[in-house]
Amino acid sequence: MLRAMSVASAAVALSACEQNTFVPPPPPKVEVAPPLQKNITRYIDATGNTAAVKSVDLVARVQGFLQSINYKDGSFVKEGTTLFTIEPETYKLKLEQAQAAEAGAQASVKQAEADYKRQVDLVQKQAVSQATLDTSTATRDNAQANLQQAQANTKIAQVNYGYTNVTAPFDGVVSAHQVSVGELVGVSSPTQLAVIVALDPIYVNFNVNEQDVLKVREEARRRGMTVEDLRQLPVEVALQTDTGYPHKGTLDYVSPTLNQSTGTIAVRGILKNADRVLLPGYFVRVRVPFEQQQSALLVPDAALGADQAGRYVLVVNGESVVEQRKVTTGPLDGGLRVIETGLKPDDRVVVGGLLRAIPGQKVDPQAKKIESGAAAK
């Protein structure tokens, strides 16, 4: 009897052990949040290069020895500032010579005009022949022609004398001089002396692809914008080291034709550059705002995954089961990505514990709220 009871007790104990061998773990905790709804500005993003609005080669237009250099290399100069002086004495003497010749021609005209008037009176009195008057008329006309020639020579001499002073054609920065004092310049052709570049304002050149052009044109038609209105669109520019887009300007030019080889249109903006932070030739980031969107849906960019079918997010349904949702994405806004299609405002998107969220499995969702600039964990 005792043995039977022992066997029965052992069987009960064994049965109890078998029932407690496995306890399923609780569903993993993940953080979920509905997409952030926010008004956003849509931009056309591009890369481009800055370019000078004006850049001119300063050249010697007359022959002579360079007498002086009147600026410091790389300095900013105002319009009209004398930068180089080229042996002016010779050209000053030529101007004085031309002025003297002009004065002589004026005297000849006065004498010829007086003689002509006398001959006219004498012909009327029949004191001289018509041939004498004709000769006087020709002399007067020849004297007037000589005066015109002398006046033209004086103007040419004045221009050449003016060329001995090479001045700044506009406000700008002048490059290092390319010739030295005492060097003979302008011998057979204009000699380049330096380059002057205007830095304020400054251009930024970039290209816009055909798809973006169509978007902008459609938005312009919807808003009833004219070509002049498009020229007032803001342009925002950033250097490679800038955070954000601190340099502001406006659209200045849009090419009337599409480049068929690249599928893009050349566009140009113009920006104020009073502090001369931007220099011609810089590689810059450019964006042009063209549309305001109300209540766009945004999720942390790190909450998105990608596979061969494209981008997706993980959402938790009403049964707390993880689903993979295919989405189409838009631009970044801070640390958040705009979701164009695939999400609804009340969807619960997995934004934390992504590695624990496996499609088809249950999870323990913990409600969170997406803040602007948030990132998934």
Side-chain angles (χ1 to χ4, degrees), residues 332-366:
L332 271 174
D333 185 275
L336 303 179
R337 176 71 67 177
V338 176
I339 303 300
E340 306 283 13
T341 61
L343 276 185
K344 299 187 293 295
D346 57 351
D347 281 331
R348 296 187 297 172
V349 180
V350 178
V351 296
L354 292 167
L355 296 178
R356 297 189 295 272
I358 301 174
Q361 293 191 6
K362 269 198 167 188
V363 292
D364 181 9
Q366 307 293 308

Side-chain angles (χ1 to χ4, degrees), residues 79-101:
E79 179 181 352
T81 301
T82 298
L83 305 176
F84 298 91
T85 302
I86 304 170
E87 196 178 10
E89 289 78 8
T90 301
Y91 294 93
K92 183 179 180 182
L93 292 173
K94 288 181 179 179
L95 173 59
E96 292 173 351
Q97 185 180 37
Q99 290 171 337

Side-chain angles (χ1 to χ4, degrees), residues 217 220 224-233 251-252 254:
R217 291 176 66 89
M225 297 175 68
T226 65
V227 174
E228 290 304 316
D229 293 331
L230 287 175
R231 288 182 180 274
Q232 301 306 313
L233 283 177
L251 203 64
D252 178 67
V254 178

Side-chain angles (χ1 to χ4, degrees), residues 279-312:
L279 297 178
Y282 274 172
F283 182 77
V284 294
R285 294 177 285 119
V286 185
R287 70 178 186 181
V288 180
F290 73 95
E291 180 186 4
Q292 299 287 331
Q293 181 179 349
Q294 307 297 318
S295 300
L297 301 181
L298 299 94
V299 301
D301 193 45
L304 283 102
D307 57 19
Q308 292 182 344
R311 306 298 297 275
Y312 66 84

Side-chain angles (χ1 to χ4, degrees), residues 26-363:
K29 292 183 178 182
V30 297
E31 296 177 355
V32 297
L36 176 67
Q37 296 189 59
K38 179 182 175 183
N39 299 336
I40 64 167
T41 301
R42 291 189 175 272
Y43 296 91
I44 293 174
D45 293 296
T47 55
N49 294 91
T50 52
V53 171
K54 291 181 283 188
S55 178
V56 171
D57 292 339
L58 300 171
V59 299
R61 301 179 66 179
V62 293
Q63 179 177 330
F65 292 98
L66 187 64
Q67 183 170 295
S68 64
I69 300 174
N70 308 308
Y71 75 98
K72 185 177 180 180
D73 290 352
S75 61
F76 176 81
V77 297
K78 301 292 288 184
E79 179 181 352
T81 301
T82 298
L83 305 176
F84 298 91
T85 302
I86 304 170
E87 196 178 10
E89 289 78 8
T90 301
Y91 294 93
K92 183 179 180 182
L93 292 173
K94 288 181 179 179
L95 173 59
E96 292 173 351
Q97 185 180 37
Q99 290 171 337
E102 182 181 348
Q106 288 175 339
S108 297
V109 168
K110 289 180 181 179
Q111 181 181 1
E113 186 68 32
D115 183 68
Y116 169 75
K117 290 179 179 179
R118 282 196 304 271
Q119 297 304 324
V120 170
D121 291 340
L122 292 174
V123 167
Q124 290 176 349
K125 296 175 182 179
Q126 297 182 349
V128 297
S129 65
Q130 182 65 38
T132 303
L133 177 60
D134 292 343
T135 301
S136 179
T137 301
T139 301
R140 182 202 62 177
D141 293 344
N142 186 57
Q144 289 176 341
N146 289 337
L147 175 60
Q148 291 176 351
Q149 179 66 51
Q151 289 172 336
N153 290 338
T154 299
K155 289 181 180 179
I156 292 173
Q158 285 176 334
V159 170
N160 287 334
Y161 181 55
Y163 286 158
T164 62
N165 287 322
V166 180
T167 61
F170 48 78
D171 295 355
V173 176
V174 188
S175 71
H177 60 275
Q178 299 182 23
V179 292
S180 300
V181 172
E183 187 172 344
L184 183 63
V185 297
V187 178
S188 57
S189 62
T191 303
Q192 184 169 343
L193 307 175
V195 178
I196 183 170
V197 181
L199 298 179
D200 182 27
I202 194 167
Y203 286 142
V204 57
N205 296 309
F206 56 100
N207 293 309
V208 177
N209 64 52
E210 185 176 358
Q211 185 177 4
D212 285 338
V213 170
L214 294 174
K215 288 180 183 178
V216 172
R217 291 176 66 89
E218 179 60 31
E219 180 65 13
R221 281 194 294 268
R222 187 183 68 80
R223 294 163 58 180
M225 297 175 68
T226 65
V227 174
E228 290 304 316
D229 293 331
L230 287 175
R231 288 182 180 274
Q232 301 306 313
L233 283 177
V235 173
E236 301 176 3
V237 173
L239 297 171
Q240 301 307 300
T241 55
D242 285 335
T243 300
Y245 292 80
H247 310 286
K248 314 293 183 183
T250 57
L251 203 64
D252 178 67
Y253 168 78
V254 178
S255 172
T257 59
L258 183 78
N259 187 324
Q260 293 185 347
S261 62
T262 61
T264 60
I265 282 182
V267 182
R268 186 178 69 200
I270 188 168
L271 299 84
K272 292 187 179 301
N273 190 35
D275 52 5
R276 299 196 284 277
V277 171
L278 300 174
L279 297 178
Y282 274 172
F283 182 77
V284 294
R285 294 177 285 119
V286 185
R287 70 178 186 181
V288 180
F290 73 95
E291 180 186 4
Q292 299 287 331
Q293 181 179 349
Q294 307 297 318
S295 300
L297 301 181
L298 299 94
V299 301
D301 193 45
L304 283 102
D307 57 19
Q308 292 182 344
R311 306 298 297 275
Y312 66 84
V313 295
L314 300 177
V315 298
V316 177
N317 63 20
E319 286 76 35
S320 297
V321 175
V322 178
E323 295 179 353
Q324 188 182 79
R325 188 76 57 81
K326 298 297 181 184
V327 294
T328 55
T329 59
L332 271 174
D333 185 275
L336 303 179
R337 176 71 67 177
V338 176
I339 303 300
E340 306 283 13
T341 61
L343 276 185
K344 299 187 293 295
D346 57 351
D347 281 331
R348 296 187 297 172
V349 180
V350 178
V351 296
L354 292 167
L355 296 178
R356 297 189 295 272
I358 301 174
Q361 293 191 6
K362 269 198 167 188
V363 292

